[in-house]
Structure formats: structure tokens, C-alpha cells
Amino acid sequence: MQKEKLMKKKASSLALRFTAGAAMGALIVAVPLSAGDASQLNIVQISVAGLLVVTSGVLSCFWGDQFLDAVSKALDSTSV
């Protein structure tokens, strides 16, 4: 019984980390799209954007807050 609760908590924690990382990746993708013309996107650009969002989510699952803090600091150091 205790093991099941631990597994559920770990799964929900991973889901939350993935969601936070994917949201951070979506923010990174949204910045250049907001500055340009989004109607001119092709399939390669959409694929790279989706890959970046999923990769950010997966990296966030592995490294958690350390990854999100590093990305946040990198975004803070830009002029955007």
C-alpha cells in the first residue's frame, strides 16, 4: 500500500515537472514567433519548435528545478 502511494506521488511529480519544462520550452518558442510573421512557418520550423518543447519537458523531468533555474537565468540575461 505504501509503495503504491509513493509511485503515484512520483508519477504526479514527474508529470508536473514535464509540464513546467514544456511550458518553459513553449515560452522560448513563442518569443521569436511573436517578433516575426507566424503565417510563414513551414513544416521544418514547426517540427523543430515541437521538438524543443518536448525536449525541454524531458530535461525538466531529469534535472527538475536545476534545469528550470538555468533556463530562467539564461532568459533573464537576454535583452528580450
Side-chain angles (χ1 to χ4, degrees), residues 5-42:
K5 285 183 180 180
L6 183 62
M7 291 298 285
K8 284 183 181 180
K9 185 173 182 172
K10 189 171 183 176
S12 66
S13 174
L14 280 176
L16 184 63
R17 283 184 183 180
F18 180 84
T19 304
M24 184 71 72
L27 176 70
I28 293 170
V29 168
V31 169
L33 288 179
S34 66
D37 186 14
S39 65
Q40 299 293 329
L41 293 177
N42 60 26

Side-chain angles (χ1 to χ4, degrees), residues 34-67:
S34 66
D37 186 14
S39 65
Q40 299 293 329
L41 293 177
N42 60 26
I43 190 71
V44 174
Q45 292 169 328
I46 293 170
S47 298
V48 169
L51 184 64
L52 180 76
V53 171
V54 171
T55 302
S56 295
V58 170
L59 289 175
S60 180
C61 282
F62 286 128
W63 290 306
D65 289 337
Q66 294 172 346
F67 175 74

